Amino acid sequence: MFSYFKDFLLNIFIIFSPLLFYPYIYKYKAQNRDVLYKILLYILFVIALVLAMSFPVNLHGLVYDFRSIPLVLGSLYGGPIVSLFLYVTVALYRFAIESPYPLIYLLSVIPSFAFVLFLQRGYHSRKLYQKILMAIFLCTSIKLIIFGVYLSLTHQLEILFYQPVSMVETYLLQALIIGVWVYLIEFLNTYFHMQEEMIKSEKSKIVSEMAAAVAHEIRNPLTTVRGFIQLFGTDDLDKQKREFYQKICLEELDRAQLIITDYLSLAKPDPEIIETITIHDEINYLSNVLMTYANYNNIQINRILPEDHMQLRVVGDRYKFRQALVNIGKNAIEALPDGGVLEMQVACKNGQAVIIIRDNGIGMTPDQIKRLGTPYYSTKEKGTGLGTMVSFGIIKKMSGKIEITSELGVGTEYSLTFPRVN
């Protein structure tokens, strides 16, 4: 059998060559562009078909090649239309190279074409081993049908039975080739399908992350607004406090609107509003925003704002900067389930502006600190971790650095360092 393998080596190479290009045309099938996919599939197999017929092997007076393999594969994976065009191409090319008895050959391929159309139905729903067996059976059958009819009509039927051992070896080699071919193409199809499912899964994950992030970010300003609305119900509330609370509520609602706008414009992001931010003003704002939430949880807020740093400024988007600070401050409050102290400090170190937010809450382990800021990781039972991830992203976009130190049962300290501007 090795001698036949050597004689058919070029044919074998030609037959397997479409596998090199198949991954490039499969993407059109994945995009539901079936017409283009079938056209390219036809081109792929017709090239292999024509080349196989151009370099045949003379087997005891019978010209033999592996044209039946691309013929069967193109029919099984391309459907009836591709099958028809491949059969027409075989007949036309055989006529073009002036092979003998072209009309008789045309008559001999018609029964095999009908046989292929009959068996290709339901092929794609079968299991792998069934597909391999069907392809082998079909390839062997159409070869025997074409040879049998053609040799009978040309009165050369005895050639088919000349040296039957050699013929059997050739058919076994053909069966091995098409079996390997089907296995490889099914492996590629499975791999591509898994890739598509992974992409869909990743898209679904991104959508769910975005939904959770939006819900988490909007919850913060709404919680603040709810707290101040409750304060409006106080009987002895004077006009000045009422106006102050109203201003905070409107600012927080504006922040919620900006958060929604930011997430809706991710596909086409708008330019950020870059401005100079005075850190003392933002810490005072943060303190006012967190005040009702802190009072509700029996938490005291302390601000350490040295007067010599009253004009400490950084550059960035004010509303996103507030969003990051509110997230971190809110997380610090939630780390104090039994009450405690939340401290916010401003300092200037090595010419840079530093904001320190610390609490004396439950604290975190080194592993928890390391994973902080990654999607869907949170130290809270119902947390998503997306708020912290967004906050860290905002800080880093402002060229800021984040350092976290924590100890279980002692508390956590966030140190945010930003380049200072005059």
Side-chain angles (χ1 to χ4, degrees):
M1 186 173 179
F2 178 77
S3 60
Y4 296 106
F5 179 83
K6 183 177 65 176
D7 292 337
F8 286 116
L9 194 59
L10 179 58
N11 254 235
I12 293 171
F13 174 77
I14 291 169
I15 295 304
F16 278 107
S17 60
L19 273 175
L20 299 174
F21 304 97
Y22 181 75
Y24 298 99
I25 69 169
Y26 180 86
K27 63 181 181 181
Y28 297 107
K29 181 180 179 182
Q31 296 169 0
N32 294 322
R33 300 166 68 178
D34 289 338
V35 174
L36 182 57
Y37 167 73
K38 288 182 178 180
I39 291 173
L40 293 174
L41 196 69
Y42 164 75
I43 294 172
L44 207 61
F45 283 114
V46 82
I47 292 173
L49 186 69
V50 169
L51 289 175
M53 293 175 66
S54 301
F55 301 98
V57 175
N58 193 309
L59 188 64
H60 309 302
L62 183 66
V63 176
Y64 193 95
D65 55 58
F66 285 138
R67 74 184 71 173
S68 59
I69 295 178
L71 199 60
V72 169
L73 291 171
S75 299
L76 292 176
Y77 289 95
I81 301 300
V82 174
S83 180
L84 174 63
F85 277 99
L86 286 174
Y87 267 91
V88 170
T89 303
V90 169
L92 290 177
Y93 185 69
R94 198 174 185 280
F95 177 79
I97 59 178
E98 300 180 352
S99 294
Y101 310 113
L103 292 178
I104 292 177
Y105 183 81
L106 181 61
L107 290 175
S108 66
V109 299
I110 291 175
S112 71
F113 175 65
F115 190 61
V116 168
L117 291 182
F118 176 75
L119 286 184
Q120 70 182 186
R121 293 178 297 178
Y123 173 79
H124 294 288
S125 61
R126 298 181 183 277
K127 297 179 180 179
L128 176 59
Y129 78 91
Q130 292 175 328
K131 290 180 178 181
I132 293 175
L133 291 177
M134 180 180 289
I136 292 173
F137 172 73
L138 198 55
C139 193
T140 305
S141 298
I142 67 170
K143 179 73 75 173
L144 289 173
I145 290 171
I146 293 173
F147 275 172
V149 175
Y150 178 80
L151 294 175
S152 296
L153 294 176
T154 57
H155 308 291
Q156 303 178 67
L157 193 60
E158 68 278 359
I159 296 177
L160 192 62
F161 303 100
Y162 183 68
Q163 292 194 359
V165 175
S166 300
M167 292 294 293
V168 170
E169 288 177 346
T170 304
Y171 278 92
L172 288 175
L173 179 58
Q174 175 183 269
L176 176 63
I177 294 170
I178 196 168
V180 172
W181 223 108
V182 172
Y183 175 82
L184 291 175
I185 200 170
E186 288 297 323
F187 174 81
L188 287 174
N189 285 340
T190 303
Y191 173 75
F192 294 141
H193 180 70
M194 288 175 61
Q195 273 192 326
E196 291 169 14
E197 291 299 317
M198 287 177 64
I199 291 171
K200 290 178 182 177
S201 175
E202 192 64 29
K203 287 181 179 179
S204 298
K205 182 181 177 182
I206 291 171
V207 170
S208 65
E209 286 180 359
M210 291 297 298
V214 172
H216 180 84
E217 295 299 327
I218 293 177
R219 188 183 293 118
N220 288 341
L222 292 183
T223 301
T224 303
V225 172
R226 185 178 186 276
F228 280 106
I229 288 175
Q230 287 177 330
L231 290 176
F232 278 121
T234 306
D235 295 332
D236 58 347
L237 189 65
D238 58 42
K239 183 180 179 181
Q240 186 178 1
K241 285 187 176 180
R242 186 181 297 274
E243 290 176 352
F244 175 71
Y245 292 164
Q246 183 182 15
K247 179 184 176 184
I248 295 294
C249 287
L250 291 174
E251 286 179 348
E252 285 301 289
L253 288 174
D254 287 340
R255 190 163 70 86
Q257 185 178 358
L258 282 169
I259 291 168
I260 294 171
T261 303
D262 284 343
Y263 281 102
L264 289 178
S265 62
L266 278 176
K268 189 178 179 181
D270 295 324
E272 291 184 330
I273 303 173
I274 304 300
E275 56 186 314
T276 302
I277 304 168
T278 304
I279 290 182
H280 277 65
D281 295 342
E282 299 308 314
I283 294 299
N284 286 327
Y285 176 85
L286 176 63
S287 177
N288 291 326
V289 166
L290 297 177
M291 181 178 62
T292 53
Y293 192 40
N295 290 339
Y296 181 78
N297 290 277
N298 194 29
I299 294 168
Q300 179 183 347
I301 296 179
N302 293 336
R303 290 172 291 179
I304 304 174
L305 307 175
E307 291 189 7
D308 57 332
H309 297 320
M310 285 295 290
Q311 300 304 315
L312 207 57
R313 298 183 180 92
V314 296
V315 172
D317 187 313
R318 183 185 304 276
Y319 291 99
K320 290 185 178 180
F321 183 64
R322 287 180 177 179
Q323 178 184 345
L325 293 182
V326 169
N327 270 327
I328 294 172
K330 189 170 179 287
N331 287 341
I333 290 174
E334 290 171 352
L336 298 162
D338 301 320
V341 177
L342 173 62
E343 191 172 88
M344 293 177 284
Q345 180 181 353
V346 176
C348 181
K349 295 181 180 178
N350 300 322
Q352 292 185 307
V354 181
I355 300 173
I356 299 171
I357 300 174
R358 65 170 68 94
D359 63 72
N360 58 348
I362 56 177
M364 293 182 289
T365 64
D367 183 61
Q368 289 174 322
I369 295 173
K370 186 178 180 180
R371 297 178 62 188
L372 207 60
T374 57
Y376 285 112
Y377 177 76
S378 176
T379 56
K380 296 177 288 187
E381 184 178 348
K382 296 183 180 180
T384 63
L386 293 171
T388 306
M389 181 186 73
V390 171
S391 299
F392 285 9
I394 292 170
I395 292 167
K396 290 177 181 177
K397 201 168 185 179
M398 292 175 61
S399 301
K401 295 181 181 179
I402 308 163
E403 293 182 8
I404 305 171
T405 56
S406 185
E407 186 178 343
L408 288 175
V410 176
T412 303
E413 179 180 290
Y414 290 83
S415 179
L416 315 177
T417 305
F418 299 93
R420 181 184 178 183
V421 295
N422 296 322

